[in-house]
Amino acid sequence: MTAWIPLILLALAALLPLAAAVLRPRAALGRREADIALFRAQLAELDREREAGRLDEAGHRAARVEVQRRLIAAADQTEEAAPPRRGGALLVAMLPLMAAAGIGLYLLRGSPGMPSAPYDLRAEAMARDDQILATLRERIGTLDPRSEQARQGWILLGNAERGRGNRAGAIESWTRAIDVRFDAELAGDIAEMEIERGQAAAATPWITRALVAAPSDPRLRFLAGMVEAESGRPANARALWQALLADSPADAPWRGLLERRISSLP
């Protein structure tokens, strides 16, 4: 029995942050993050609808611009204080019971002697993912490299690589898609990912090319300023962002973000 005492104490210690959270005044933390996650999911869903042929290019672009505006607005919103939680003291009093109940349920239904998943199993799962992507590459290879089907395949592969954090793989796949047919929005995705991995210089030609096709696109103009800021040219970044701010409607959701970016420049 004494062997379980440290585990009970550890469980109580793990619940202490919950106690601190319920006793302090609650803030609306998480609303902005939830909104951002929702809008990102909507962007991914729009991409899937377009790839499946259920949404044409014009409809996809219009819907994506609207969701991106909402995404920028969500990232720009401030958090508001909320009233304290009711019943917080009662919940804190129940923490020891929650810890004991959790341990009891684990002893009853769990498998204390079962070891954690070894690295070999995790590596096997990663290998399966690699095999799936390799199969997709092989199927793309059987298509006409200049066909729309091949282009959509490369976009799908790039999305998958981005989803698992492989920026280089995503950029390579999207570049192959653009080789089939240029798309300013996809070029912006590549530029954004290059900036994220600290390669602002590599993002420049993509933004330049995309702005030729879509010179008024606010996202591309914002990314152009990001490249200048990341490259140590704050004066250029300020000029680009101030021009974008001047061209933006008074109710544009990205105005607050732009103003903060400009004020943060040296």
Side-chain angles (χ1 to χ4, degrees):
M1 179 62 186
T2 56
W4 288 99
I5 293 178
L7 294 179
I8 295 174
L9 294 176
L10 182 61
L12 289 173
L15 291 172
L16 285 178
L18 175 60
V22 298
L23 287 178
R24 70 169 178 261
R26 181 167 60 91
L29 296 176
R31 178 180 300 174
R32 178 173 57 187
E33 289 77 6
D35 287 344
I36 290 174
L38 173 62
F39 292 138
R40 288 190 183 278
Q42 289 178 344
L43 289 174
E45 181 63 25
L46 288 174
D47 291 341
R48 287 192 293 269
E49 291 293 309
R50 181 184 63 178
E51 292 163 7
R54 292 188 290 267
L55 189 65
D56 60 24
E57 192 68 30
H60 171 268
R61 185 178 300 278
R64 187 175 176 88
V65 168
E66 178 60 28
V67 175
Q68 284 177 337
R69 289 175 179 173
R70 296 179 183 178
L71 177 60
I72 294 174
D76 190 38
Q77 70 182 0
T78 57
E79 304 292 356
E80 298 178 355
R85 294 178 178 85
R86 296 181 179 178
L90 177 60
L91 180 57
V92 172
M94 292 178 62
L95 290 181
L97 295 178
M98 293 169 61
I103 293 174
L105 183 62
Y106 178 68
L107 290 175
L108 180 64
R109 296 291 186 182
S111 302
M114 180 179 293
S116 60
Y119 172 77
D120 291 345
L121 292 181
R122 299 195 299 272
E124 183 180 347
M126 294 175 61
R128 284 197 300 268
D129 291 342
D130 290 339
Q131 182 59 45
I132 292 173
L133 296 183
T135 301
L136 178 58
R137 288 190 184 92
E138 291 176 2
R139 291 181 179 177
I140 296 174
T142 64
L143 301 172
D144 178 358
R146 307 301 300 177
S147 67
E148 183 63 21
Q149 290 82 1
R151 177 179 175 275
Q152 293 296 330
W154 287 119
I155 292 175
L156 179 63
L157 183 60
N159 292 342
E161 293 288 11
R162 175 180 59 182
R164 65 178 193 161
N166 182 8
R167 292 190 179 97
I171 291 172
E172 178 186 359
S173 298
W174 288 340
T175 300
R176 287 178 177 251
I178 284 182
D179 287 341
V180 178
R181 178 169 61 83
F182 181 77
D183 181 87
E185 183 177 333
L186 191 57
D189 291 339
I190 296 176
E192 186 173 354
M193 194 153 291
E194 291 285 16
I195 294 172
E196 287 178 0
R197 67 175 188 166
Q199 301 295 325
T204 300
W206 291 111
I207 295 174
T208 301
R209 187 178 176 188
L211 282 172
V212 172
S216 61
D217 187 291
R219 177 189 178 220
L220 294 174
R221 296 175 67 182
F222 176 78
L223 291 176
M226 284 292 297
V227 166
E228 295 300 317
E230 294 293 328
S231 301
R233 296 185 290 268
N236 293 348
R238 181 178 290 104
L240 289 170
W241 284 341
Q242 285 178 338
L244 175 57
L245 194 62
D247 293 339
S248 299
D251 59 347
W254 57 81
R255 290 187 67 92
L257 174 63
L258 270 175
E259 290 167 351
R260 288 200 304 274
R261 288 284 188 176
I262 292 172
S263 64
S264 68
L265 291 171

